[in-house]
Amino acid sequence: HLSGIIDWGDAMGADPHVELGKIHLDVFEGDKRLLRTFLDAYEWPLDDDFARRCLAMALRRHAQILGQHGGGDVFYRVPDLLAGNKIASLDDLAQVLFGI
């Protein structure tokens, strides 16, 4: 009997940070407490480039989604998350969105 089907259409080898944008900005609704809990549970190593790497990989994934599927938006919650923050650079954006 067939018990399931695995769809490998979006499977890829990539930097593990590539999925954090979707998880944090969509599933966790940008809640850094949930992100921190997730990272702690996985014993995710944090370094000085963590926020920058998350933003870079989120932008990469967003471009892939648009290219492959013609739609979808990893960043649709970002305007609400940025309210009241002064963003002068991509580093500032990375810290506001992913800074732990």
Side-chain angles (χ1 to χ4, degrees):
H1 292 92
L2 181 65
S3 62
I5 297 174
I6 298 174
D7 179 1
W8 292 99
D10 288 331
M12 65 180 164
D15 184 309
H17 292 78
V18 78
E19 296 296 340
L20 288 180
K22 181 71 171 166
I23 292 169
H24 175 55
L25 298 175
D26 188 14
V27 177
F28 299 161
E29 298 180 355
D31 186 329
K32 289 185 183 181
R33 293 171 303 155
L34 292 175
L35 178 60
R36 172 57 101 170
T37 299
F38 175 86
L39 296 171
D40 288 347
Y42 276 92
E43 298 178 355
W44 197 289
L46 298 174
D47 58 21
D48 292 339
D49 286 335
F50 175 78
R52 178 185 283 174
R53 211 161 160 191
C54 286
L55 178 60
M57 292 297 106
L59 289 166
R60 177 177 183 237
R61 185 67 181 135
H62 182 74
Q64 287 175 322
I65 290 168
L66 290 176
Q68 292 173 351
H69 305 291
D73 187 357
V74 171
F75 296 101
Y76 71 97
R77 293 184 198 272
V78 168
D80 291 333
L81 296 173
L82 297 182
N85 290 288
K86 182 177 175 7
I87 308 296
S89 68
L90 287 174
D91 284 332
D92 290 345
L93 180 60
Q95 284 304 313
V96 169
L97 295 178
F98 297 101
I100 300 290

